[in-house]
Amino acid sequence: MKSRVPELTDESLNLLKSVKGSPISRLVTSQVSKISSYFEFSGLLNQVLDLWRVMMLPITAATSGGSKLFVDEGFPIYVHINSFFLIKMTCWILVVVAILAVRGLHGLDNGLGLTPPMGWLTWERFRCNMDCDRDPDNCISEHLIKAMADIMAANGYRDAGYEYVIIDDCWLGPERDTNGRLVPDPNRFPSGIKNLSAYVHSKNLKFGIYQDFGTKTCGGFPGSEFYMQTDAETFADWGVDYLKFDGCNSNLYDFPSGYEAMGFFLNKTGRSIFYSCEWPFYKIVSGLQVDFAKVRKTCNLWRNYYDVQDSWSSVLDIVNFWGSNSKIFTKYAGPGGWNDPDMIILGNFGLSYEEERVQMAMWAILAAPLIMSNDLRHIRSSSKALLLNRNLIAINQDKLGIQGILLQKQNGIQIWSRDLSFNRTAVAFLNENSDGMPRFLSFSLVDLKLTSSTYNFTEAFDMKTNILVTRQRPLKIKVNPHGINLYIAKEMHL
Ligand code: GLA
């Protein structure tokens, strides 16, 4: 049977992306939506199809000359149908219904991530450095991971809550083995990943790893597409506690079902594996919509924006993206699942002390993961003190898990607010200006959207200074350039 639905080619997709918002784009989008509505499914059937979609990929590609079922959050479903398709669909639906009957129909329910995850990750600081001859202490290797685990355990990081030690990209060898299993680079990981994870566990830390949904990782190593079950089982066998699942070298339209399928296979292993996804990031930067409710149901953590770089402009750009788009994804954060503005870069080359304070305080306001990427062997004591600041960590880890929002931004001053447990509110004043002189500022309770008549403001880095603020007496503060003041406001009953 020929479909009534024209197949959306890569070319037309690219066109759609490049002219987003233009009349052509709106025309294409509305045609696709109209066509899609013939094929709209919901509820159980949709869930069944989601899993089925990924399971179909290898067979579809092999047998039907590239016919594909495209699904995106924005466009419900449009299908290119042929006779093979119907037979395969029937078989796979039967298989998937059987799996779902055993699994239940609820999304991610792995009990992990009740507060934002904390840990350390190779990427921002050590990248894809594979040159162990020239740079033996800094190349991606078991030596580096063990060194960081040692320091996290010995120097207070683990005790402050940083529990995951995660290898990012570039740990793999170039090929899978003859059974299709992933193989780490033998020179850099001579003891194998299972032994490395045992070492990390012996330090009372948890072990994380990186893979990619596509055919290759971003660094060009074997990806998980068509091997997701094998890889999930391998990770469980190796004692992996955290998976960062990237989205390079894949079709963006396969993300919802692909990420869900990997989550399904991870859960099926029976091991508790924290699931960090890059799904929204790639779609957002391509101008595509994201179904955040579905992302939250599938992942414990999800990246929404570009990679953090070692600079103030990068940190500020991320904060501004969060400020401008709060309404879209803030409400999806909460115990079990979090928006991810990317790694903490304190202790590296790019940030001043004031700027490091900004990143720590803003990541606390944003209920963001505290996943550091730095060299803990060589770190300034001021950076270490900020990373280990229990007051900031307590705000970050607040049990209610409500992500903060931007209240207002004027003349380079941003005011952010986050509701905390015990009727407290964290309020941050961020000064983006570079003009050298601290700003003297004054804000009323109305400016800060605080509705009672009297509040105690406690400075939140040290929890030592208190300021009484009433309807008649505004909050008067001084904020350094590229700096931040953070307070915890608590209503007073006088
Ligand atoms: C992407 C991700 C990064 C990192 C690299 C690895 O860019 O966004 O966080 O994992 O891939 O190649």
Side-chain angles (χ1 to χ4, degrees):
M1 184 175 93
K2 272 275 169 222
S3 161
R4 279 175 293 174
V5 187
E7 190 162 357
L8 207 61
T9 62
D10 286 346
E11 237 170 59
S12 49
L13 273 175
N14 286 338
L15 176 70
L16 193 61
K17 282 180 217 161
S18 63
V19 295
K20 179 168 63 80
S22 72
I24 304 175
S25 153
R26 281 199 294 276
L27 183 72
V28 175
T29 308
S30 76
Q31 287 311 313
V32 170
S33 300
K34 248 189 254 159
I35 294 161
S36 303
S37 63
Y38 289 117
F39 290 92
E40 243 180 86
F41 298 92
S42 61
L44 171 65
L45 187 53
N46 213 3
Q47 295 213 30
V48 169
L49 283 170
D50 273 351
L51 271 175
W52 167 79
R53 216 173 287 138
V54 160
M55 294 174 175
M56 284 294 292
L57 285 176
I59 300 173
T60 310
T63 58
S64 58
S67 293
K68 264 208 173 174
L69 178 65
F70 285 110
V71 173
D72 185 33
E73 288 103 328
F75 315 141
I77 287 185
Y78 35 102
V79 206
H80 180 97
I81 295 179
N82 60 24
S83 48
F84 242 141
F85 176 93
L86 283 177
I87 300 165
K88 285 180 293 189
M89 177 163 155
T90 314
C91 296
W92 278 104
I93 284 183
L94 288 175
V95 171
V96 174
V97 165
I99 293 170
L100 285 174
V102 177
R103 171 203 178 203
L105 290 178
H106 298 291
L108 185 70
D109 187 18
N110 61 8
L112 299 172
L114 296 181
T115 59
M118 295 175 65
W120 181 92
L121 175 69
T122 49
W123 185 252
E124 197 282 332
R125 177 60 188 256
F126 297 97
R127 305 285 165 162
C128 195
N129 179 354
M130 297 188 284
D131 190 350
C132 295
D133 291 335
R134 199 181 55 183
D135 201 7
D137 286 338
N138 300 306
C139 61
I140 303 302
S141 66
E142 62 183 43
H143 169 68
L144 179 69
I145 299 300
K146 285 180 176 177
M148 291 304 157
D150 290 346
I151 293 188
M152 284 173 71
N155 291 7
Y157 295 96
R158 181 192 63 202
D159 298 341
Y162 295 91
E163 59 176 344
Y164 292 103
V165 184
I166 310 157
I167 321 179
D168 206 284
D169 204 351
C170 306
W171 61 272
L172 280 160
E175 304 287 348
R176 291 173 179 269
D177 71 11
T178 46
N179 298 319
R181 299 219 337 163
L182 293 167
V183 183
D185 181 288
N187 298 320
R188 293 179 288 118
F189 295 91
S191 320
I193 301 295
K194 196 168 183 164
N195 284 325
L196 182 56
S197 101
Y199 183 87
V200 170
H201 292 150
S202 75
K203 299 279 165 184
N204 280 330
L205 290 160
K206 293 182 177 159
F207 177 73
I209 210 158
Y210 164 101
Q211 236 308 10
D212 188 289
F213 164 58
T215 47
K216 284 187 187 317
T217 71
C218 300
F221 295 90
S224 276
E225 197 161 14
F226 311 142
Y227 291 91
M228 284 194 279
Q229 182 164 12
T230 306
D231 290 354
E233 286 166 2
T234 304
F235 294 146
D237 178 43
W238 285 348
V240 166
D241 305 298
Y242 181 118
L243 174 65
K244 173 172 171 178
F245 206 43
D246 209 339
C248 276
N249 303 307
S250 59
N251 186 326
L252 297 184
Y253 290 88
D254 294 334
F255 274 16
S257 45
Y259 275 93
E260 190 176 18
M262 190 55 169
F264 169 74
F265 291 126
L266 290 173
N267 286 344
K268 198 160 156 277
T269 65
R271 186 173 176 85
S272 289
I273 300 180
F274 187 99
Y275 188 29
S276 162
C277 306
E278 294 224 18
W279 154 12
F281 155 50
Y282 289 101
K283 300 202 80 154
I284 287 174
V285 299
S286 304
L288 296 170
Q289 295 177 42
V290 178
D291 178 351
F292 276 97
K294 186 163 188 169
V295 173
R296 178 177 166 86
K297 235 174 119 192
T298 308
C299 311
N300 294 115
L301 183 68
W302 49 89
R303 274 275 304 284
N304 309 34
Y305 195 53
Y306 290 109
D307 293 8
V308 69
Q309 308 293 335
D310 193 9
S311 71
W312 167 245
S313 60
S314 168
V315 170
L316 188 61
D317 184 41
I318 292 172
V319 168
N320 285 334
F321 175 79
W322 248 243
S324 316
N325 295 286
S326 288
K327 290 206 176 69
I328 299 175
F329 49 75
T330 299
K331 62 175 181 283
Y332 296 102
W338 310 96
N339 292 299
D340 180 4
D342 213 2
M343 290 157 271
I344 290 283
I345 56 165
L346 275 77
N348 292 324
F349 306 102
L351 299 187
S352 69
Y353 177 64
E354 292 294 330
E355 293 163 352
E356 291 194 337
R357 279 172 47 102
V358 171
Q359 199 193 19
M360 264 321 262
M362 281 310 304
W363 265 231
I365 288 282
L366 296 174
L370 293 179
I371 306 282
M372 310 174 276
S373 187
N374 47 19
D375 187 347
L376 297 173
R377 298 164 299 189
H378 309 284
I379 189 163
R380 292 177 294 274
S381 56
S382 56
S383 306
K384 182 179 174 195
L386 286 173
L387 289 165
L388 296 181
N389 184 313
R390 302 288 170 134
N391 304 321
L392 297 179
I393 292 174
I395 297 174
N396 179 285
Q397 297 283 300
D398 187 79
K399 295 282 177 278
L400 292 185
I402 299 170
Q403 184 178 318
I405 51 164
L406 176 69
L407 293 184
Q408 57 159 285
K409 175 169 162 164
Q410 251 177 8
N411 303 323
I413 305 294
Q414 303 188 12
I415 307 180
W416 287 79
S417 162
R418 175 179 176 186
D419 289 336
L420 300 174
S421 50
F422 305 113
N423 286 323
R424 296 165 309 147
T425 306
V427 188
F429 302 88
L430 164 59
N431 180 2
E432 305 177 9
N433 296 296
S434 309
D435 52 2
M437 198 183 118
R439 294 285 164 119
F440 290 87
L441 305 166
S442 173
F443 295 102
S444 70
L445 291 177
V446 173
D447 293 332
L448 306 178
K449 307 253 185 310
L450 294 171
T451 51
S452 295
S453 60
T454 310
Y455 287 84
N456 179 45
F457 275 66
T458 307
E459 193 287 317
F461 280 75
D462 292 330
M463 296 298 279
K464 284 188 183 143
T465 317
N466 292 302
I467 309 173
L468 190 71
V469 182
T470 68
R471 295 252 161 252
Q472 292 74 35
R473 191 199 299 194
L475 176 71
K476 292 188 172 171
I477 55 173
K478 189 174 86 169
V479 190
N480 293 339
H482 295 194
I484 198 162
N485 287 22
L486 179 65
Y487 299 92
I488 293 183
K490 173 96 177 138
E491 188 184 337
M492 305 272 290
H493 299 283
L494 298 176

